[in-house]
């Protein structure tokens, strides 16, 4: 009999239901949205589930979660009682009760290029970029989390989007997580600012600064703006160029 808490069981329940519905496991951002928790909390829980031997994952590979708990021991998703003949086909027959289609929205397609940071010679002078799709009603915080995962980061740090007259313009407007104790700080809150609100246009380039110490700088460019597909889960990475350098150590 697998040993897990009620909260851990809810994570296992959602991962199982999502995988049965879609045919592939959820990303951590999918779990965060479904359970209404922060992406860093999901990341910590996933590591805990892995440590306890409840799931298997392959770091660096998106959507690689695999449940190791027997199906009959997994709690039912959304508190539904499991019947003796419950199966993946029953879950598929009620897709709207698991993950309803999102309302219409703009879709922003960003090209994110790693410009500088503590990069070892192995990764120097190579293009390391990702193309990310994200809805216009999602926030800059969610874009940050998408970049964090797309570049295979492991530990969260402070970040800032710099939307001045040129990329990496510290004069602003800049968005991140404001410091309530800093009265002079003018950083706006990325957790509530949606992409639709910041008036982006195709071709616009701006800066993304991650980790105020190691100083990873990325250039973010709007490739195009179109309509999101209601049944697709965003953000998502649609293109990867180059292997991500490790967050620490420069190996």
């Amino acid at each position: 009999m697998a040993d897990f808490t009620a909260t851990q069981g809810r994570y296992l329940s959602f991962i199982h239901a999502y995988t049965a519905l879609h045919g592939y496991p959820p990303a951590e951002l999918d779990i965060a949205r479904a359970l209404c928790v922060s992406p860093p909390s999901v990341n910590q829980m996933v590591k805990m589930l892995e440590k306890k031997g409840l799931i298997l994952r392959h770091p660096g590979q998106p959507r690689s979660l695999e449940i190791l708990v027997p199906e009959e021991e997994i709690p039912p998703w959304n508190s539904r009682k499991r019947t003796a003949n419950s199966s993946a086909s029953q879950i598929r027959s009620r897709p709207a009760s698991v993950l309803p289609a999102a309302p219409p929205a703009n879709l922003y397609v960003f090209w994110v290029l790693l410009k500088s940071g503590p990069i070892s010679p192995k990764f120097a002078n190579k293009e390391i970029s990702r193309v990310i799709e994200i809805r216009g009603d999602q926030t800059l915080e969610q874009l940050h989390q998408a970049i964090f995962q797309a570049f295979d980061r492991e530990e969260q740090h402070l970040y800032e989007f710099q939307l001045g007259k040129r990329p990496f313009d510290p004069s602003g407007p800049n968005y991140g997580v404001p410091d309530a104790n800093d009265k002079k700080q003018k950083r706006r809150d990325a957790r509530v600012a949606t992409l639709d609100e910041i008036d982006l246009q195709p071709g616009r380039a701006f800066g993304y600064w991650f980790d105020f110490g190691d100083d990873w700088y990325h250039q973010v460019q709007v490739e195009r703006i179109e309509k999101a597909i209601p049944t697709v889960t965003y953000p998502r990475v649609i293109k990867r160029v180059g292997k991500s350098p490790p967050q620490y150590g420069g190996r």
Side-chain angles (χ1 to χ4, degrees):
M1 184 75 178
D3 180 24
F4 50 82
T5 67
T7 299
Q8 292 166 354
R10 185 157 173 76
Y11 276 75
L12 294 172
S13 173
F14 175 75
I15 294 170
H16 175 264
Y18 187 105
T19 303
L21 174 65
H22 293 276
Y24 52 82
E28 291 186 6
L29 283 175
D30 300 323
I31 302 174
R33 281 194 289 271
L35 302 186
C36 298
V37 296
S38 68
S41 296
V42 173
N43 184 260
Q44 290 301 313
M45 177 60 77
V46 167
K47 291 179 180 178
M48 176 60 69
L49 294 174
E50 181 182 31
K51 185 177 180 180
K52 294 184 69 171
L54 301 173
I55 65 170
L56 177 67
R57 67 176 182 133
H58 303 283
Q61 296 184 22
R63 301 185 182 277
S64 63
L65 301 179
E66 178 183 349
I67 293 181
L68 302 180
V69 178
E71 183 176 356
E72 61 271 14
E73 297 181 20
I74 301 173
W77 174 240
N78 281 349
S79 300
R80 290 187 176 87
K81 293 183 178 180
R82 188 189 302 273
T83 61
N85 63 346
S86 64
S87 64
S89 62
Q90 288 180 303
I91 296 175
R92 289 192 184 94
S93 69
R94 300 189 301 270
S97 66
V98 179
L99 288 173
N106 289 326
L107 181 70
Y108 292 79
V109 183
F110 291 112
W111 178 64
V112 185
L113 174 68
L114 178 61
K115 295 288 288 185
S116 64
I119 302 173
S120 69
K122 176 181 177 181
F123 297 92
N125 303 315
K126 296 179 180 179
E127 178 182 341
I128 303 171
S129 66
R130 306 289 183 261
V131 178
I132 297 174
E133 294 181 337
I134 183 169
R135 291 166 57 95
D137 55 5
Q138 293 178 299
T139 65
L140 282 167
E141 160 73 13
Q142 288 173 290
L143 177 58
H144 153 69
Q145 295 295 345
I147 297 173
F148 181 91
Q149 293 193 3
F151 285 89
D152 305 313
R153 304 272 158 73
E154 299 176 357
E155 185 176 356
Q156 290 283 352
H157 288 278
L158 293 174
Y159 66 91
E160 182 176 85
F161 289 98
Q162 300 179 335
L163 287 103
K165 296 180 179 179
R166 62 185 185 282
F168 314 115
D169 182 357
S171 64
N174 299 326
Y175 294 80
V177 180
D179 184 351
N181 297 318
D182 187 350
K183 302 301 183 182
K184 297 182 179 180
Q185 181 180 257
K186 297 182 179 180
R187 186 177 299 128
R188 304 179 187 183
D189 196 340
R191 297 168 296 183
V192 298
T194 68
L195 295 166
D196 281 340
E197 293 172 349
I198 58 177
D199 193 29
L200 296 174
Q201 300 297 327
R204 172 73 189 279
F206 55 93
Y208 166 71
W209 174 25
F210 172 72
D211 190 346
F212 304 168
D214 279 346
D215 298 327
W216 294 94
Y217 283 98
H218 312 68
Q219 181 168 317
V220 184
Q221 182 165 321
V222 184
E223 286 201 334
R224 61 187 182 275
I225 302 173
E226 49 195 39
K227 291 299 180 182
I229 302 172
T231 55
V232 171
T233 300
Y234 301 103
R236 67 175 182 175
V237 179
I238 62 171
K239 183 178 180 181
R240 297 172 180 265
V241 175
K243 183 179 179 181
S244 298
Q247 184 172 349
Y248 303 114
R251 297 184 298 276

